[in-house]
Amino acid sequence: MASERERSRRREVLDVLRDARAPLGVTDVAERLGVHANTARFHLDALAADGAVERTVEQPSGPGRPRTVYAARPGMDRGGARGYRLLAQILLSRLAADGAEGRENAAQAGREWGRFLVDRPPPFQRLTEEEAAGRLTALLDDLDFAPKPSGDVIRLRHCPFLELAEEYGPLVCDVHLGLMQGALTELDAPVEAHRLEPFAEPGACLAHLRRG
């Protein structure tokens, strides 16, 4: 893993490439940064391995070995912080403003993603209630809900969206229930996700299944 000093130097190398009007060779970068050519080559090769820069060989214009040049790959720098929780808050706040319609839209989004996230059984194969509940439990486990099935109830002992659920409660729970409903629909299961009780027990939400 690169040290903070190496990451800082690589940002400088990227800035040099972005400011250039044409691809630069190792010597060009070294001169602009005031570093040894080997140092510039080390960071350029690391950036190329990470996909941040493109490395090409120039067409030869005379005798001698063709020159390898580097250019910043188009697009935003992929380093730096992310704000996915803020994005989720922005989207949830908009849904919350729509009241009951927003909750239904949240549930529908969950159902669509539930269908997408589960593998449909082969044609003409019908799952039993136990198999369908097992497949649902496996999906919830993959999504970090730490599920523990018990009869017609699945205890969700971890919420991967806990802070958002505490802030926007019903909307996030509607998404969770929709995920389960969509997955069971895609499985053509003889069981449905009937109800979700948020924080029904200390340390767990309860997903209720209805069979038959």
Side-chain angles (χ1 to χ4, degrees), residues 156-167:
L156 307 178
R157 297 169 296 168
H158 176 260
C159 179
F161 315 118
L162 179 59
E163 290 78 13
L164 295 170
E166 291 173 338
E167 187 173 357

Side-chain angles (χ1 to χ4, degrees), residues 11-196:
R11 284 193 292 269
E12 293 175 354
V13 172
L14 268 176
D15 288 341
V16 166
L17 294 176
R18 290 191 177 112
D19 291 340
R21 296 184 178 181
L24 301 177
V26 171
T27 303
D28 301 322
V29 174
E31 289 177 350
R32 298 187 187 201
L33 288 176
V35 299
H36 194 278
N38 287 341
T39 300
R41 182 179 289 106
F42 171 74
H43 292 298
L44 285 165
D45 288 344
L47 288 167
D50 289 341
V53 305
E54 296 175 334
R55 179 170 47 202
T56 57
V57 177
E58 285 186 332
Q59 292 294 325
S61 58
R65 185 177 180 180
R67 190 174 72 135
T68 299
V69 294
Y70 300 81
R73 193 176 290 275
M76 185 73 71
D77 182 2
R78 302 191 70 82
R82 298 290 189 267
Y84 294 126
R85 181 178 172 187
L86 175 60
L87 174 61
Q89 288 175 307
I90 292 170
L91 297 176
L92 285 170
S93 66
R94 181 65 187 87
L95 286 171
D98 290 337
E101 182 181 355
R103 290 192 59 180
E104 176 51 34
N105 287 335
Q108 182 59 32
R111 288 190 285 270
E112 294 296 334
W113 273 93
R115 295 178 68 111
F116 171 74
L117 291 172
V118 75
D119 292 328
R120 188 179 180 87
F124 311 114
Q125 179 178 327
R126 187 74 187 275
L127 299 179
T128 66
E129 294 178 354
E130 290 71 22
E131 289 171 336
R135 293 279 292 274
L136 176 61
T137 300
L139 173 62
L140 293 170
D141 192 39
D142 288 342
L143 296 175
D144 295 323
F145 283 97
K148 184 178 180 181
S150 177
D152 291 339
V153 172
I154 300 177
R155 284 175 172 80
L156 307 178
R157 297 169 296 168
H158 176 260
C159 179
F161 315 118
L162 179 59
E163 290 78 13
L164 295 170
E166 291 173 338
E167 187 173 357
Y168 295 100
L171 277 172
V172 177
C173 295
D174 290 339
V175 173
H176 293 170
L177 181 59
L179 279 169
M180 291 183 278
Q181 291 172 337
L184 291 171
T185 297
E186 185 68 12
L187 293 171
D188 194 21
V191 59
E192 65 174 334
H194 169 56
R195 184 163 52 96
L196 178 63

